[in-house]
Amino acid sequence: MIKVRIPTPLRTLTKGRGEVESAGSTIDDLIGRLNQAYPGIKDRLCDEQGELRRFVNVYVNEEDIRFLKGKDTALKSGDDVSIVPAIAGGC
Amino acid sequence: MPPILRIPNSIVGAMIAHARELDPYECCGLLAGTPGTVSRHYRITNTVAQDARAVAVFDEADVKPLAALSESTRAEVAYFMEPKEMLAAFKDMRARELDLTVIYHSHTHSPAYPSMTDVGLAYYPEAAYLIISLEDKTTPDLRAFWIKDRRVTPAAIETI
Ligand SMILES: [Zn+2]
């Protein structure tokens, strides 16, 4: 099982839970499974092309997946995945 | 009624110093504490201030006011927190059992009010958004806001 940390704005989809467990062989697979358990979560994480939104940071064991293999990053049981919205702004 | 945010004078001074250091670029960072009282300050690197090309990230957000500006100008009016430093700060907060209380950034050319982009990208309803304006370089102006579902309300701050 993989532990997934859910940020506050997405907890309306996870019945208020800040941490959920899921299976998944890659980030892509994990997001698909999360979406079955918590419908709508995929749309919040990915754009229409299915790519991860740039204002969402995803980490596997504290490594930003942009510096791993993105959505193809492999997962194994015991991994920690954190979903953390970016903090940004501008005029 | 959200709590009044109590922020130590030393942290207010440190945020203003941070803003002045990065001027004309925007600085950004996080404050943590117990509900209502700030006790810890984290400076976070603004990737846009470091490399103007990092503003490309905003293209996806379809941010109209930014799109009209050149890359170098946009870099002076935007911030994007370095993801790894952000995660390290959140981890430190959990280890110390502190909550994220404030997300701050500076405005070097405009007043201390959240912009359309600031509001559109406010994903943390539990934190107050604090802005340090250096529009008047001699008199920094600090104001904080709650941003929930794109609605902005003032947050009361008290320096202690
Ligand atoms: Zn701003």
Side-chain angles (χ1 to χ4, degrees):
Chain A
M1 274 306 188
I2 293 147
K3 244 197 290 176
V4 187
R5 199 174 285 279
I6 305 292
T8 327
L10 297 186
R11 288 181 197 166
T12 46
L13 299 170
T14 57
K15 302 173 183 77
R17 293 169 66 194
E19 207 175 87
V20 301
E21 293 207 323
S22 175
S25 56
T26 60
I27 289 291
D28 197 36
D29 183 33
L30 176 84
I31 292 173
R33 287 168 192 256
L34 283 175
N35 201 53
Q36 282 176 0
Y38 311 106
I41 201 162
K42 186 173 180 184
D43 280 350
R44 304 287 294 273
L45 302 177
C46 303
D47 62 20
E48 294 76 22
Q49 284 76 45
E51 290 307 312
L52 269 173
R53 295 182 186 278
R54 290 211 234 184
F55 288 91
V56 177
N57 302 321
V58 178
Y59 309 84
V60 175
N61 304 329
E62 299 179 23
E63 280 301 320
D64 188 334
I65 63 162
R66 288 187 194 93
F67 300 109
L68 299 170
K69 289 189 175 146
K71 281 179 62 183
D72 298 326
T73 302
L75 297 173
K76 57 181 188 315
S77 186
D79 280 347
D80 278 313
V81 172
S82 293
I83 299 169
V84 182
I87 303 184
C91 83
Chain B
M1 211 25 210
I4 294 176
L5 287 165
R6 290 195 300 276
I7 308 178
N9 245 314
S10 56
I11 291 183
V12 170
M15 285 191 293
I16 294 172
H18 190 197
R20 286 199 157 125
E21 246 174 70
L22 263 81
D23 189 17
Y25 296 107
E26 296 189 0
C27 74
C28 54
L30 305 170
L31 304 183
T34 50
T37 305
V38 167
S39 57
R40 207 147 183 98
H41 173 206
Y42 303 86
R43 283 185 176 212
I44 308 286
T45 300
N46 173 4
T47 60
V48 174
Q50 225 167 37
D51 180 355
R53 283 171 301 177
V55 291
V57 74
F58 291 100
D59 293 346
E60 181 185 307
D62 195 18
V63 178
K64 299 269 170 4
L66 283 177
L69 304 171
S70 73
E71 194 173 84
S72 58
T73 310
R74 282 202 281 168
E76 292 187 12
V77 294
Y79 75 99
F80 189 89
M81 286 196 188
E82 207 288 311
K84 239 187 131 82
E85 287 177 33
M86 239 178 78
L87 188 74
F90 284 142
K91 197 183 168 196
D92 188 73
M93 288 174 206
R94 280 199 298 274
R96 293 173 194 276
E97 297 184 353
L98 299 176
D99 293 327
L100 171 68
T101 50
V102 172
I103 292 171
Y104 77 87
H105 73 285
S106 60
H107 282 176
T108 53
H109 309 276
S110 56
Y113 289 96
S115 66
M116 296 281 285
T117 311
D118 290 339
V119 174
L121 297 176
Y123 299 121
Y124 291 80
E126 72 272 33
Y129 284 80
L130 186 147
I131 299 169
I132 307 147
S133 169
L134 295 182
E135 192 181 28
D136 175 353
K137 303 291 175 203
T138 54
T139 323
D141 188 22
L142 266 75
R143 289 169 200 269
F145 305 87
W146 304 107
I147 308 177
K148 237 169 243 172
D149 302 323
R150 296 193 172 233
R151 284 221 319 275
V152 180
T153 50
I157 35 179
E158 185 191 341
T159 40
I160 53 171

